[in-house]
Amino acid sequence: MWKGFGKVLGFLSKKFNTTFLLMTATKPHIVEGKELAPAGVVAKRPYKTRQECRFLDGVHDIDSLPDLLEENISRLRESSGLVVLNTKRSALKAYDMLKGILGQNDPDPILFLSGWMTPKHRKEVLGKLIGLEKEGVKRYLVSTQVVEAGVDLDFQWVFRDLGPLDSIIQVAGRCNRHFSMGEPGEVVIAELMDPEKGKSFSRYVYDDVLLLASREILGKRPLFDEQDTVEMVDEYFSRILDGLKPEHIWEDIERGSWDTLPKLIEKRTKGVSLYVELDENLRNLLDELSNMTRGFENLDKARNIARKLQMYKIEVPAKSIEKWEQKLGSNFIIDGAHPVLCKLPGRDEWFLSKEGIGTVYSMETGFIPPDGDSGDEFL
């Protein structure tokens, strides 16, 4: 949909004198514009490279991840590191593996981040990571793509499961981000496979066009550094445009056929919203919202409460919630008024009480899939 979107931007800019400012380390071929960065900065950055990247050929069973880390990262135990996986389930497995490599008694913290942790929980983990960094404490993080952009974290080495090249480069930007090392950091990229289904984890979440372009470019240049990324990204987006099927979005807009526009996001799995009672504020917010008189006069207040509620909410597979409901049965919390896990009245959303933390939700890794649950992958 890039070409149609680019034409929309061009139309708005020309007809309404609108200016769009695009800022990114991985510039896509959406629309032509004027480069604002000083001459030479984009083509060749005026500083030494912060990281050196290496792509490992072939497809690797996720069970071989410990060996891949041991063999390809020289600073594995000596400095802080980041491991980024494509799915929540593979990230959970990698988290257990990293603890196994470093030893349960290692004093350096190993933390976890994924979309199965509430925004409030993720914010607390990020705050802890930033605090440890400021104190100069060695630390490790296993994460899904939630760490890719907009997160100011710095590690001496990074491992990234294969994904789109622009995502890989965004993650690489978390390596030696603040020039804290006297030499380049290490970034290792490898394609990991789900042994149970014989399928790469990247294919659960990314389009084959993106993955093919990434493999081809990385295969041609398995060793690269930060100075090479502008040229590589430019080639990557050129290949993507060549491989995309045509979408006639602009033509539909011109004709006024807006009802024919495709969905921007095709939902692959059936998910439900789950509110996790991390503190006493959640119940108060839900009660306040449900007791509020509907009307324009309370619209701003309702929106403000809804924004606060988002900090406690995650999206989980519907099948997983159904299994947990069956397992928990009629277990009730202390006051006998509410079940540990219940559906909110009049809403297609669920509530997990604080007594469910440790069973359905972990303060270490977030939502816990029920035993034997091999449901759909979520990012």
Side-chain angles (χ1 to χ4, degrees):
M1 304 182 192
W2 287 356
K3 291 181 179 178
F5 178 61
K7 287 182 178 180
V8 171
L9 295 184
F11 176 83
L12 293 173
S13 179
K14 181 179 179 180
K15 295 293 184 180
F16 297 100
N17 197 28
T18 303
T19 298
F20 297 91
L21 181 62
L22 308 178
M23 298 188 295
T24 176
T26 50
K27 180 184 175 184
H29 293 182
I30 292 177
V31 65
E32 291 299 320
K34 178 182 178 182
E35 179 60 64
L36 298 180
V41 170
V42 175
K44 193 170 182 65
R45 291 166 180 151
Y47 47 76
K48 64 182 180 180
T49 187
R50 292 180 294 182
Q51 64 274 146
E52 293 177 344
C53 306
R54 180 182 178 192
F55 174 59
L56 306 182
D57 192 25
V59 181
H60 308 266
D61 190 315
I62 191 172
D63 293 328
S64 68
L65 179 60
D67 293 333
L68 293 177
L69 296 176
E70 294 274 13
E71 295 166 6
N72 294 284
I73 298 176
S74 63
R75 303 180 180 91
L76 183 64
R77 290 178 173 79
E78 289 71 35
S79 55
S80 299
L82 168 66
V83 176
V84 179
L85 281 296
N86 286 316
T87 69
K88 296 183 180 73
R89 296 178 198 278
S90 63
L92 285 169
K93 188 165 187 177
Y95 178 69
D96 290 335
M97 288 178 175
L98 192 62
K99 289 195 295 185
I101 295 173
L102 300 174
Q104 297 289 346
N105 298 322
D106 194 307
D108 301 311
I110 305 173
L111 302 174
F112 185 84
L113 280 174
S114 90
W116 269 348
M117 298 164 67
T118 67
K120 176 180 170 63
H121 190 180
R122 294 203 304 267
K123 186 177 180 180
E124 290 171 355
V125 172
L126 287 170
K128 183 175 182 179
L129 283 164
I130 292 170
L132 291 170
E133 181 182 330
K134 288 180 179 178
E135 295 169 10
V137 177
K138 186 172 59 171
R139 64 226 167 266
Y140 302 96
L141 174 65
V142 177
S143 176
T144 58
Q145 302 94 316
V146 296
V147 80
E148 275 181 13
V151 179
D152 188 17
L153 297 176
D154 193 356
F155 299 90
Q156 281 70 57
W157 61 262
V158 170
F159 175 90
R160 174 63 159 96
D161 189 6
L162 179 72
L165 185 64
D166 56 328
S167 295
I168 290 171
I169 291 172
Q170 290 284 359
V171 169
R174 306 293 168 265
C175 183
N176 197 20
R177 180 176 179 84
H178 300 143
F179 295 93
S180 57
M181 303 170 61
E183 55 185 332
E186 298 176 84
V187 178
V188 174
I189 307 117
E191 184 169 2
L192 299 180
M193 180 186 73
D194 182 351
E196 294 181 8
K197 298 184 179 179
K199 179 179 178 180
S200 295
F201 288 106
S202 57
R203 294 187 61 203
Y204 285 118
V205 292
Y206 295 119
D207 186 89
D208 286 339
V209 172
L210 306 181
L211 295 174
L212 179 60
S214 300
R215 285 192 199 96
E216 290 178 348
I217 293 171
L218 291 170
K220 286 195 313 180
R221 198 180 307 200
L223 296 174
F224 64 95
D225 62 30
E226 193 173 15
Q227 301 283 4
D228 303 318
T229 56
V230 173
E231 180 183 335
M232 293 172 70
V233 168
D234 189 64
E235 180 184 355
Y236 168 72
F237 284 121
S238 294
R239 285 176 180 246
I240 290 175
L241 285 178
D242 291 340
L244 291 179
K245 65 180 181 180
E247 285 280 5
H248 304 290
I249 298 174
W250 178 248
E251 290 80 356
D252 291 336
I253 290 174
E254 284 187 311
R255 288 195 302 267
S257 303
W258 298 347
D259 59 331
T260 66
L261 297 179
K263 293 181 180 179
L264 286 177
I265 300 175
E266 292 290 343
K267 204 164 187 179
R268 301 185 184 186
T269 54
K270 186 181 179 183
V272 295
S273 296
L274 175 68
Y275 291 95
V276 182
E277 190 180 21
L278 298 176
D279 57 43
E280 66 280 358
N281 293 328
L282 177 59
R283 284 181 191 251
N284 295 333
L285 290 168
L286 288 171
D287 289 343
E288 189 175 357
L289 187 63
S290 62
N291 295 329
M292 186 179 297
T293 303
R294 302 297 177 187
F296 184 77
E297 67 279 4
N298 288 327
L299 185 59
D300 287 341
K301 187 176 181 181
R303 285 176 175 171
N304 184 47
I305 294 173
R307 281 194 294 270
K308 292 178 180 179
L309 284 172
Q310 291 294 320
M311 298 299 291
Y312 297 87
K313 187 168 76 171
I314 56 174
E315 186 91 352
V316 297
K319 290 182 179 178
S320 297
I321 285 293
E322 291 168 5
K323 288 184 179 180
W324 269 124
E325 186 184 28
Q326 293 169 4
K327 284 193 172 192
L328 294 171
S330 58
N331 292 324
F332 287 86
I333 62 174
I334 297 171
D335 62 9
H338 303 282
V340 172
L341 179 67
C342 65
K343 200 169 186 179
L344 291 172
R347 303 169 67 170
D348 192 22
E349 296 177 318
W350 292 75
F351 176 87
L352 179 70
S353 74
K354 59 186 178 182
E355 280 72 24
I357 294 178
T359 303
V360 180
Y361 189 91
S362 164
M363 291 309 296
E364 189 177 2
T365 59
F367 178 72
I368 303 171
D371 293 338
D373 182 17
S374 57
D376 296 317
E377 292 289 345
F378 271 49
L379 289 177

